[in-house]
Amino acid sequence: KQMFFGAGMRENAADSEVPMTDGEPEVASLFLHALYTDEIQKDAWDDDEIMCHLFTAFHKYQVDHLMKRCEARIIALTSKDVVAERLMMADLLDSPRLRKASIEFMTSSLSQLSAVQATEGFQRLIEQRPKILAEILAKMSPPATAQSE
């Protein structure tokens, strides 16, 4: 609301436009549909990639209730093939809930973590966000506490 209706915003004028230049037209259309109807279309709801694009757009334009709905759906659609990508997105957008769910998904068992490690997304995680690996390692094997001498 603040972004669209805040005082002194040029977008607040009756004849103004809010350009959406950094997304695909399909995502912009889905974004506007959800913004005006408070509903996410079924095609988008079932597509985890589209949900990620919508999540990013709702985050950017601070539409919290729709952002949270997308976040919950992304968590529900998480698989071993995409979880590393979702973790990087959570890190980029500062989404603690998605971050926690992604790490918990990855570390639910050793076999799950092994399967995730074999994905291209995990290789990108290693290259692009190596600090997250410490968090994953700590979840699988919490660090020992320092003992006093």
Side-chain angles (χ1 to χ4, degrees), residues 2-75:
Q2 189 67 19
M3 212 149 168
F4 295 110
F5 304 114
M9 301 291 290
R10 70 173 184 221
E11 292 85 356
N12 197 20
D15 62 346
S16 67
E17 294 180 5
V18 177
M20 294 182 68
T21 58
D22 57 347
E24 295 293 319
E26 177 187 9
V27 174
S29 177
L30 291 165
F31 173 86
L32 290 172
H33 176 84
L35 193 62
Y36 286 108
T37 65
D38 202 34
E39 294 177 3
I40 297 172
Q41 293 178 352
K42 181 163 178 28
D43 293 359
W45 190 251
D46 295 333
D47 185 328
D48 68 326
E49 288 296 321
I50 295 289
M51 291 305 296
C52 289
H53 290 294
L54 283 172
F55 177 70
T56 302
F58 292 133
H59 177 271
K60 178 179 179 175
Y61 293 102
Q62 302 173 2
V63 186
D64 290 338
H65 72 287
L66 289 170
M67 183 182 73
K68 288 176 184 172
R69 202 176 309 162
C70 286
E71 180 183 52
R73 185 63 177 162
I74 291 166
I75 291 168

Side-chain angles (χ1 to χ4, degrees), residues 81 84-85 88 116 119-126:
D81 297 319
E85 299 286 347
M88 287 189 287
V116 170
T119 66
E120 290 178 20
F122 193 81
Q123 296 311 308
R124 279 190 294 279
L125 175 71
I126 292 168

Side-chain angles (χ1 to χ4, degrees), residues 13 38 61 74 94 102 106 108 113 129 141:
D38 202 34
Y61 293 102
I74 291 166
D94 191 28
S102 297
M106 280 183 177
S108 61
L113 183 57
R129 301 253 193 289
S141 180

